[in-house]
Amino acid sequence: PPAEPLTERRQAGGVRTIVLNNPRRRNALSLPMLQSLRRDLLHDVKSRELRVIVIAAEGPVFCSGHDLKELSSEDDVKHHSQVFELCAEVMTLIQKLPVPVIAKVNGLATAAGCQLVASCDIAVASEKSQFATPGVNIGLFCSTPAVALGRSLPRKVALEMLFTGEPLSAHEALMHGLVSKVVPEDKLEEETMKISQKICESSKSVLALGKATFYRQIAQDLDTAYKITTKVMVDNLTLRDGQEGIEAFVQKRKPVWSH
């Protein structure tokens, strides 16, 4: 029989769900999996109908990170570079997309899988989920996952994860800021869709401007961040939806977004 696609993409009501669909390989981020994920993230991304992307997974493991078979000495340095470069491209792409991206985590997320969660704008996890960067235990320090982890967690928490490989529980991940919400497993879909639908009520153009600006300013010092965002607030007012929102508020009616 033909092989199952490594990712599945479906879309309804403005919400695109991308499902990592290789549970037999613990949804490892092999080169083909990364290529498939990138394709689904970029598909018709400028469409007015697309408002939010959810990344989910089949099976008990959300994502186990890189496929270690691809990183053996049987493959050359060129192949290894290709894997890590594409992974970095996908992780940074998530934050460059014009729509919010939500990780819907139900299970274990390790190494580059943990990096994927940390790279998303929002992460909703079930209570049974766990997060770890165990590369140190097999002699491959999680240096690229550390980029996203170090920007999501307090430094000492991130370094303990990186140095020991020990997992964080879902509630520990919530306490330290790796995930946004933790819910019972049977409420995961409902909570993720609740957040997604709330996002869909806002203007896509306003959200796109806001998301891009957030990631741009967060890397700056305080004075530069305020200079950037002060200009963007003025730019926001020139958007059709910026004016529509203010007029609707003054007129006490619901805004009609052009997106």
Side-chain angles (χ1 to χ4, degrees), residues 65-66 84 87 91 110-116 118-119 132-135 140-153 158 162 178:
H66 290 293
F84 289 118
C87 184
M91 300 300 169
T110 61
C114 189
Q115 179 185 4
L116 179 59
S119 298
T133 48
L140 183 64
F141 197 86
C142 286
S143 292
T144 45
V147 175
L149 213 62
R151 285 161 170 75
S152 295
L153 291 167
L162 292 160
L178 181 58

PDB file of all heavy atoms in Angstrom, residues 65-66 84 87 91 110-116 118-119 132-135 140-153 158 162 178:
ATOM      1  N   GLY A  65      11.998  14.621  18.122  1.00  0.00           N
ATOM      2  CA  GLY A  65      13.192  15.328  17.668  1.00  0.00           C
ATOM      3  C   GLY A  65      13.731  14.746  16.379  1.00  0.00           C
ATOM      4  O   GLY A  65      12.999  14.127  15.610  1.00  0.00           O
ATOM      5  N   HIS A  66      15.001  14.946  16.138  1.00  0.00           N
ATOM      6  CA  HIS A  66      15.603  14.469  14.895  1.00  0.00           C
ATOM      7  C   HIS A  66      15.598  12.954  14.810  1.00  0.00           C
ATOM      8  O   HIS A  66      15.626  12.265  15.835  1.00  0.00           O
ATOM      9  CB  HIS A  66      17.036  14.989  14.768  1.00  0.00           C
ATOM     10  CG  HIS A  66      17.118  16.458  14.517  1.00  0.00           C
ATOM     11  ND1 HIS A  66      16.680  17.048  13.353  1.00  0.00           N
ATOM     12  CD2 HIS A  66      17.572  17.474  15.303  1.00  0.00           C
ATOM     13  CE1 HIS A  66      16.857  18.352  13.421  1.00  0.00           C
ATOM     14  NE2 HIS A  66      17.390  18.640  14.595  1.00  0.00           N
ATOM     15  N   PHE A  84      20.007  20.000   9.786  1.00  0.00           N
ATOM     16  CA  PHE A  84      19.957  21.048  10.812  1.00  0.00           C
ATOM     17  C   PHE A  84      19.586  22.409  10.225  1.00  0.00           C
ATOM     18  O   PHE A  84      18.896  23.204  10.866  1.00  0.00           O
ATOM     19  CB  PHE A  84      21.292  21.121  11.562  1.00  0.00           C
ATOM     20  CG  PHE A  84      21.530  19.942  12.462  1.00  0.00           C
ATOM     21  CD1 PHE A  84      22.605  19.090  12.241  1.00  0.00           C
ATOM     22  CD2 PHE A  84      20.674  19.668  13.525  1.00  0.00           C
ATOM     23  CE1 PHE A  84      22.830  17.996  13.066  1.00  0.00           C
ATOM     24  CE2 PHE A  84      20.886  18.572  14.359  1.00  0.00           C
ATOM     25  CZ  PHE A  84      21.968  17.737  14.130  1.00  0.00           C
ATOM     26  N   CYS A  87      15.839  22.375   9.607  1.00  0.00           N
ATOM     27  CA  CYS A  87      15.153  22.451  10.889  1.00  0.00           C
ATOM     28  C   CYS A  87      15.140  23.899  11.392  1.00  0.00           C
ATOM     29  O   CYS A  87      14.100  24.419  11.805  1.00  0.00           O
ATOM     30  CB  CYS A  87      15.820  21.541  11.910  1.00  0.00           C
ATOM     31  SG  CYS A  87      14.947  21.488  13.487  1.00  0.00           S
ATOM     32  N   MET A  91      11.823  26.284  12.082  1.00  0.00           N
ATOM     33  CA  MET A  91      11.571  26.899  13.394  1.00  0.00           C
ATOM     34  C   MET A  91      11.449  28.413  13.278  1.00  0.00           C
ATOM     35  O   MET A  91      10.572  29.026  13.893  1.00  0.00           O
ATOM     36  CB  MET A  91      12.686  26.538  14.373  1.00  0.00           C
ATOM     37  CG  MET A  91      12.859  25.049  14.631  1.00  0.00           C
ATOM     38  SD  MET A  91      11.401  24.252  15.334  1.00  0.00           S
ATOM     39  CE  MET A  91      11.873  22.512  15.167  1.00  0.00           C
ATOM     40  N   THR A 110      10.436  15.903  22.763  1.00  0.00           N
ATOM     41  CA  THR A 110      11.840  15.884  23.168  1.00  0.00           C
ATOM     42  C   THR A 110      12.736  16.478  22.085  1.00  0.00           C
ATOM     43  O   THR A 110      12.431  16.436  20.899  1.00  0.00           O
ATOM     44  CB  THR A 110      12.321  14.447  23.463  1.00  0.00           C
ATOM     45  OG1 THR A 110      12.201  13.643  22.285  1.00  0.00           O
ATOM     46  CG2 THR A 110      11.515  13.820  24.579  1.00  0.00           C
ATOM     47  N   ALA A 111      13.870  17.034  22.541  1.00  0.00           N
ATOM     48  CA  ALA A 111      14.916  17.561  21.657  1.00  0.00           C
ATOM     49  C   ALA A 111      14.310  18.543  20.651  1.00  0.00           C
ATOM     50  O   ALA A 111      13.688  19.519  21.052  1.00  0.00           O
ATOM     51  CB  ALA A 111      15.662  16.418  20.993  1.00  0.00           C
ATOM     52  N   ALA A 112      14.459  18.289  19.343  1.00  0.00           N
ATOM     53  CA  ALA A 112      13.903  19.210  18.356  1.00  0.00           C
ATOM     54  C   ALA A 112      12.378  19.257  18.416  1.00  0.00           C
ATOM     55  O   ALA A 112      11.772  20.224  17.945  1.00  0.00           O
ATOM     56  CB  ALA A 112      14.363  18.828  16.952  1.00  0.00           C
ATOM     57  N   GLY A 113      11.745  18.241  18.997  1.00  0.00           N
ATOM     58  CA  GLY A 113      10.296  18.284  19.233  1.00  0.00           C
ATOM     59  C   GLY A 113       9.942  19.301  20.295  1.00  0.00           C
ATOM     60  O   GLY A 113       8.941  20.011  20.196  1.00  0.00           O
ATOM     61  N   CYS A 114      10.781  19.389  21.328  1.00  0.00           N
ATOM     62  CA  CYS A 114      10.633  20.418  22.358  1.00  0.00           C
ATOM     63  C   CYS A 114      10.915  21.792  21.754  1.00  0.00           C
ATOM     64  O   CYS A 114      10.240  22.777  22.076  1.00  0.00           O
ATOM     65  CB  CYS A 114      11.586  20.109  23.510  1.00  0.00           C
ATOM     66  SG  CYS A 114      11.358  21.136  24.972  1.00  0.00           S
ATOM     67  N   GLN A 115      11.896  21.841  20.869  1.00  0.00           N
ATOM     68  CA  GLN A 115      12.225  23.074  20.137  1.00  0.00           C
ATOM     69  C   GLN A 115      11.020  23.550  19.321  1.00  0.00           C
ATOM     70  O   GLN A 115      10.731  24.753  19.266  1.00  0.00           O
ATOM     71  CB  GLN A 115      13.412  22.807  19.216  1.00  0.00           C
ATOM     72  CG  GLN A 115      13.883  23.971  18.369  1.00  0.00           C
ATOM     73  CD  GLN A 115      14.990  23.551  17.404  1.00  0.00           C
ATOM     74  OE1 GLN A 115      15.354  22.373  17.331  1.00  0.00           O
ATOM     75  NE2 GLN A 115      15.522  24.500  16.666  1.00  0.00           N
ATOM     76  N   LEU A 116      10.312  22.619  18.706  1.00  0.00           N
ATOM     77  CA  LEU A 116       9.132  22.959  17.909  1.00  0.00           C
ATOM     78  C   LEU A 116       8.055  23.598  18.782  1.00  0.00           C
ATOM     79  O   LEU A 116       7.461  24.618  18.405  1.00  0.00           O
ATOM     80  CB  LEU A 116       8.591  21.694  17.228  1.00  0.00           C
ATOM     81  CG  LEU A 116       7.343  21.834  16.364  1.00  0.00           C
ATOM     82  CD1 LEU A 116       7.553  22.830  15.235  1.00  0.00           C
ATOM     83  CD2 LEU A 116       6.926  20.475  15.804  1.00  0.00           C
ATOM     84  N   ALA A 118       8.555  25.165  21.667  1.00  0.00           N
ATOM     85  CA  ALA A 118       9.070  26.470  22.113  1.00  0.00           C
ATOM     86  C   ALA A 118       9.021  27.513  21.002  1.00  0.00           C
ATOM     87  O   ALA A 118       8.930  28.713  21.279  1.00  0.00           O
ATOM     88  CB  ALA A 118      10.502  26.305  22.625  1.00  0.00           C
ATOM     89  N   SER A 119       9.073  27.082  19.747  1.00  0.00           N
ATOM     90  CA  SER A 119       9.083  28.007  18.613  1.00  0.00           C
ATOM     91  C   SER A 119       7.695  28.513  18.252  1.00  0.00           C
ATOM     92  O   SER A 119       7.566  29.536  17.568  1.00  0.00           O
ATOM     93  CB  SER A 119       9.705  27.328  17.384  1.00  0.00           C
ATOM     94  OG  SER A 119      11.043  26.978  17.634  1.00  0.00           O
ATOM     95  N   ALA A 132      11.475  17.516  27.145  1.00  0.00           N
ATOM     96  CA  ALA A 132      12.857  17.227  27.529  1.00  0.00           C
ATOM     97  C   ALA A 132      13.813  17.508  26.385  1.00  0.00           C
ATOM     98  O   ALA A 132      13.426  17.492  25.205  1.00  0.00           O
ATOM     99  CB  ALA A 132      12.983  15.762  27.964  1.00  0.00           C
ATOM    100  N   THR A 133      15.070  17.758  26.756  1.00  0.00           N
ATOM    101  CA  THR A 133      16.159  17.894  25.777  1.00  0.00           C
ATOM    102  C   THR A 133      17.263  16.910  26.183  1.00  0.00           C
ATOM    103  O   THR A 133      18.269  17.297  26.779  1.00  0.00           O
ATOM    104  CB  THR A 133      16.693  19.339  25.750  1.00  0.00           C
ATOM    105  OG1 THR A 133      16.926  19.783  27.101  1.00  0.00           O
ATOM    106  CG2 THR A 133      15.701  20.278  25.095  1.00  0.00           C
ATOM    107  N   PRO A 134      17.077  15.628  25.864  1.00  0.00           N
ATOM    108  CA  PRO A 134      17.955  14.572  26.377  1.00  0.00           C
ATOM    109  C   PRO A 134      19.174  14.271  25.522  1.00  0.00           C
ATOM    110  O   PRO A 134      19.846  13.257  25.735  1.00  0.00           O
ATOM    111  CB  PRO A 134      17.018  13.359  26.418  1.00  0.00           C
ATOM    112  CG  PRO A 134      16.102  13.579  25.248  1.00  0.00           C
ATOM    113  CD  PRO A 134      15.921  15.075  25.138  1.00  0.00           C
ATOM    114  N   GLY A 135      19.478  15.156  24.570  1.00  0.00           N
ATOM    115  CA  GLY A 135      20.598  14.874  23.668  1.00  0.00           C
ATOM    116  C   GLY A 135      21.907  14.613  24.387  1.00  0.00           C
ATOM    117  O   GLY A 135      22.725  13.806  23.941  1.00  0.00           O
ATOM    118  N   LEU A 140      25.015  14.031  22.049  1.00  0.00           N
ATOM    119  CA  LEU A 140      24.707  15.070  21.062  1.00  0.00           C
ATOM    120  C   LEU A 140      23.941  16.175  21.779  1.00  0.00           C
ATOM    121  O   LEU A 140      22.719  16.115  21.909  1.00  0.00           O
ATOM    122  CB  LEU A 140      23.874  14.511  19.901  1.00  0.00           C
ATOM    123  CG  LEU A 140      23.548  15.495  18.775  1.00  0.00           C
ATOM    124  CD1 LEU A 140      24.801  15.969  18.066  1.00  0.00           C
ATOM    125  CD2 LEU A 140      22.570  14.858  17.779  1.00  0.00           C
ATOM    126  N   PHE A 141      24.662  17.164  22.278  1.00  0.00           N
ATOM    127  CA  PHE A 141      24.048  18.242  23.062  1.00  0.00           C
ATOM    128  C   PHE A 141      22.992  18.959  22.224  1.00  0.00           C
ATOM    129  O   PHE A 141      23.206  19.213  21.034  1.00  0.00           O
ATOM    130  CB  PHE A 141      25.126  19.230  23.513  1.00  0.00           C
ATOM    131  CG  PHE A 141      24.689  20.138  24.633  1.00  0.00           C
ATOM    132  CD1 PHE A 141      24.812  19.736  25.944  1.00  0.00           C
ATOM    133  CD2 PHE A 141      24.150  21.383  24.355  1.00  0.00           C
ATOM    134  CE1 PHE A 141      24.409  20.568  26.989  1.00  0.00           C
ATOM    135  CE2 PHE A 141      23.738  22.226  25.382  1.00  0.00           C
ATOM    136  CZ  PHE A 141      23.872  21.807  26.703  1.00  0.00           C
ATOM    137  N   CYS A 142      21.871  19.294  22.847  1.00  0.00           N
ATOM    138  CA  CYS A 142      20.751  19.926  22.124  1.00  0.00           C
ATOM    139  C   CYS A 142      21.010  21.413  21.900  1.00  0.00           C
ATOM    140  O   CYS A 142      20.294  22.277  22.428  1.00  0.00           O
ATOM    141  CB  CYS A 142      19.452  19.705  22.894  1.00  0.00           C
ATOM    142  SG  CYS A 142      18.812  18.024  22.791  1.00  0.00           S
ATOM    143  N   SER A 143      21.998  21.731  21.105  1.00  0.00           N
ATOM    144  CA  SER A 143      22.399  23.131  20.909  1.00  0.00           C
ATOM    145  C   SER A 143      21.379  23.925  20.113  1.00  0.00           C
ATOM    146  O   SER A 143      21.100  25.088  20.437  1.00  0.00           O
ATOM    147  CB  SER A 143      23.768  23.194  20.227  1.00  0.00           C
ATOM    148  OG  SER A 143      24.769  22.712  21.096  1.00  0.00           O
ATOM    149  N   THR A 144      20.816  23.342  19.061  1.00  0.00           N
ATOM    150  CA  THR A 144      19.800  24.090  18.298  1.00  0.00           C
ATOM    151  C   THR A 144      18.483  24.172  19.071  1.00  0.00           C
ATOM    152  O   THR A 144      17.872  25.252  19.107  1.00  0.00           O
ATOM    153  CB  THR A 144      19.604  23.516  16.883  1.00  0.00           C
ATOM    154  OG1 THR A 144      19.528  22.090  16.944  1.00  0.00           O
ATOM    155  CG2 THR A 144      20.751  23.906  15.973  1.00  0.00           C
ATOM    156  N   PRO A 145      18.005  23.113  19.730  1.00  0.00           N
ATOM    157  CA  PRO A 145      16.830  23.283  20.598  1.00  0.00           C
ATOM    158  C   PRO A 145      17.044  24.345  21.667  1.00  0.00           C
ATOM    159  O   PRO A 145      16.097  25.027  22.069  1.00  0.00           O
ATOM    160  CB  PRO A 145      16.649  21.888  21.216  1.00  0.00           C
ATOM    161  CG  PRO A 145      17.173  20.954  20.182  1.00  0.00           C
ATOM    162  CD  PRO A 145      18.355  21.682  19.586  1.00  0.00           C
ATOM    163  N   ALA A 146      18.294  24.504  22.117  1.00  0.00           N
ATOM    164  CA  ALA A 146      18.597  25.488  23.162  1.00  0.00           C
ATOM    165  C   ALA A 146      18.294  26.916  22.717  1.00  0.00           C
ATOM    166  O   ALA A 146      18.027  27.780  23.562  1.00  0.00           O
ATOM    167  CB  ALA A 146      20.063  25.379  23.572  1.00  0.00           C
ATOM    168  N   VAL A 147      18.326  27.183  21.415  1.00  0.00           N
ATOM    169  CA  VAL A 147      18.020  28.532  20.921  1.00  0.00           C
ATOM    170  C   VAL A 147      16.577  28.901  21.273  1.00  0.00           C
ATOM    171  O   VAL A 147      16.304  29.960  21.855  1.00  0.00           O
ATOM    172  CB  VAL A 147      18.247  28.632  19.398  1.00  0.00           C
ATOM    173  CG1 VAL A 147      17.816  29.994  18.876  1.00  0.00           C
ATOM    174  CG2 VAL A 147      19.709  28.366  19.057  1.00  0.00           C
ATOM    175  N   ALA A 148      15.636  28.016  20.934  1.00  0.00           N
ATOM    176  CA  ALA A 148      14.228  28.282  21.237  1.00  0.00           C
ATOM    177  C   ALA A 148      13.952  28.150  22.729  1.00  0.00           C
ATOM    178  O   ALA A 148      13.196  28.939  23.305  1.00  0.00           O
ATOM    179  CB  ALA A 148      13.339  27.326  20.446  1.00  0.00           C
ATOM    180  N   LEU A 149      14.569  27.154  23.352  1.00  0.00           N
ATOM    181  CA  LEU A 149      14.345  26.909  24.778  1.00  0.00           C
ATOM    182  C   LEU A 149      14.830  28.086  25.614  1.00  0.00           C
ATOM    183  O   LEU A 149      14.148  28.534  26.534  1.00  0.00           O
ATOM    184  CB  LEU A 149      15.086  25.631  25.187  1.00  0.00           C
ATOM    185  CG  LEU A 149      14.458  24.775  26.281  1.00  0.00           C
ATOM    186  CD1 LEU A 149      13.095  24.270  25.840  1.00  0.00           C
ATOM    187  CD2 LEU A 149      15.365  23.601  26.623  1.00  0.00           C
ATOM    188  N   GLY A 150      16.016  28.595  25.269  1.00  0.00           N
ATOM    189  CA  GLY A 150      16.598  29.704  26.015  1.00  0.00           C
ATOM    190  C   GLY A 150      15.848  31.003  25.858  1.00  0.00           C
ATOM    191  O   GLY A 150      16.024  31.935  26.645  1.00  0.00           O
ATOM    192  N   ARG A 151      14.989  31.080  24.834  1.00  0.00           N
ATOM    193  CA  ARG A 151      14.167  32.269  24.622  1.00  0.00           C
ATOM    194  C   ARG A 151      12.756  32.100  25.181  1.00  0.00           C
ATOM    195  O   ARG A 151      11.951  33.025  25.125  1.00  0.00           O
ATOM    196  CB  ARG A 151      14.116  32.602  23.122  1.00  0.00           C
ATOM    197  CG  ARG A 151      15.415  33.233  22.616  1.00  0.00           C
ATOM    198  CD  ARG A 151      15.551  33.146  21.112  1.00  0.00           C
ATOM    199  NE  ARG A 151      16.659  33.951  20.620  1.00  0.00           N
ATOM    200  CZ  ARG A 151      17.954  33.624  20.738  1.00  0.00           C
ATOM    201  NH1 ARG A 151      18.290  32.483  21.340  1.00  0.00           N
ATOM    202  NH2 ARG A 151      18.905  34.419  20.256  1.00  0.00           N
ATOM    203  N   SER A 152      12.448  30.913  25.683  1.00  0.00           N
ATOM    204  CA  SER A 152      11.124  30.653  26.256  1.00  0.00           C
ATOM    205  C   SER A 152      11.167  30.446  27.764  1.00  0.00           C
ATOM    206  O   SER A 152      10.175  30.691  28.447  1.00  0.00           O
ATOM    207  CB  SER A 152      10.515  29.398  25.615  1.00  0.00           C
ATOM    208  OG  SER A 152      10.272  29.582  24.252  1.00  0.00           O
ATOM    209  N   LEU A 153      12.295  29.979  28.261  1.00  0.00           N
ATOM    210  CA  LEU A 153      12.425  29.604  29.669  1.00  0.00           C
ATOM    211  C   LEU A 153      13.456  30.466  30.374  1.00  0.00           C
ATOM    212  O   LEU A 153      14.377  30.989  29.733  1.00  0.00           O
ATOM    213  CB  LEU A 153      12.879  28.143  29.775  1.00  0.00           C
ATOM    214  CG  LEU A 153      11.885  27.070  29.344  1.00  0.00           C
ATOM    215  CD1 LEU A 153      12.594  25.733  29.203  1.00  0.00           C
ATOM    216  CD2 LEU A 153      10.767  26.945  30.348  1.00  0.00           C
ATOM    217  N   ALA A 158      16.310  26.308  31.642  1.00  0.00           N
ATOM    218  CA  ALA A 158      16.718  25.774  30.335  1.00  0.00           C
ATOM    219  C   ALA A 158      18.017  24.986  30.452  1.00  0.00           C
ATOM    220  O   ALA A 158      18.140  23.874  29.912  1.00  0.00           O
ATOM    221  CB  ALA A 158      16.886  26.911  29.335  1.00  0.00           C
ATOM    222  N   LEU A 162      18.958  21.095  29.651  1.00  0.00           N
ATOM    223  CA  LEU A 162      19.989  20.780  28.657  1.00  0.00           C
ATOM    224  C   LEU A 162      21.128  19.953  29.253  1.00  0.00           C
ATOM    225  O   LEU A 162      21.666  19.055  28.603  1.00  0.00           O
ATOM    226  CB  LEU A 162      20.543  22.074  28.054  1.00  0.00           C
ATOM    227  CG  LEU A 162      19.558  22.858  27.182  1.00  0.00           C
ATOM    228  CD1 LEU A 162      19.991  24.304  27.039  1.00  0.00           C
ATOM    229  CD2 LEU A 162      19.413  22.196  25.805  1.00  0.00           C
ATOM    230  N   LEU A 178       7.039  27.549  29.205  1.00  0.00           N
ATOM    231  CA  LEU A 178       7.234  26.826  27.940  1.00  0.00           C
ATOM    232  C   LEU A 178       5.907  26.602  27.221  1.00  0.00           C
ATOM    233  O   LEU A 178       5.850  26.563  25.993  1.00  0.00           O
ATOM    234  CB  LEU A 178       7.942  25.494  28.198  1.00  0.00           C
ATOM    235  CG  LEU A 178       8.237  24.615  26.984  1.00  0.00           C
ATOM    236  CD1 LEU A 178       9.105  25.347  25.964  1.00  0.00           C
ATOM    237  CD2 LEU A 178       8.922  23.316  27.420  1.00  0.00           C
TER     238      LEU A 178
END
